[in-house]
Amino acid sequence: MTAVDAAAEVLAIARTRAASDNIRFVRADPFEWQPPRRYDTVFFAFWLSHVPPTRLPDFWNFVAAALAPGGRAIFIDDGPAGAAEEEVLADHPVPAAMRRLDDGSRYRVVKVFDDARTLENDLIGLGRSVRLRTGAAHFTGIAEPPAAKPS
């Protein structure tokens, strides 16, 4: 298993919670990282809503390249109801919200509050098959890259 995050702090927390020595922790920009192998499953939680809409095709191409043949991406993220819990910033070229941390610091973050239908249409438009299940505030999904064309 490989866990990738750009934040050293997140990886440090994950290391303390991991119950296995079989996890490789990698600090890297997920938009730049090149996986050393292909995986049966790529899982991400509460990440997709932080991908700027213009980078969505590149992100899904990266996921497809990281998957072994027959592999799939499994994800969970905030739906539109999550906007009620955020300080959504209007008039930005990229959807954004202001985050306040426990220490009082504030950070502007990319935050896209897609509804399940919009996300499903975006993924189908990128050639992915997708199944989404919506809950009160979140959705879970399984996406598969386009099937390889016979040569």
Side-chain angles (χ1 to χ4, degrees), residues 53-85:
T54 58
R55 296 194 76 181
L56 199 60
D58 290 338
F59 173 73
W60 282 105
N61 288 336
F62 160 74
V63 170
L67 288 170
R72 57 186 57 166
I74 300 172
F75 54 94
I76 183 170
D77 216 318
D78 293 317
E85 305 294 321

Side-chain angles (χ1 to χ4, degrees), residues 5 7 12 19 24 139 148-149:
D5 202 290
R24 180 175 166 242
F139 56 80
K149 295 179 182 170

Side-chain angles (χ1 to χ4, degrees), residues 31-42:
F31 287 108
E32 302 295 327
W33 183 66
Q34 297 294 314
R37 57 176 285 239
R38 298 179 85 187
Y39 300 91
D40 295 327
T41 303
V42 172

Side-chain angles (χ1 to χ4, degrees), residues 90-148:
D91 301 323
H92 281 264
V94 174
M98 186 63 69
R99 290 275 170 93
R100 296 176 199 278
L101 301 185
D102 291 341
D103 67 3
S105 60
R106 297 171 39 137
Y107 297 90
R108 186 181 69 224
V109 297
V110 171
K111 190 65 178 170
V112 180
F113 294 102
D114 277 338
D115 60 72
R117 175 63 67 203
T118 300
L119 178 58
E120 184 176 54
N121 289 339
D122 287 347
L123 290 172
I124 290 169
L126 294 171
R128 275 46 178 186
S129 67
V130 61
R131 292 180 306 248
L132 293 175
R133 177 177 290 169
T134 57
H138 304 97
F139 56 80
T140 57
I142 299 173
E144 299 175 67

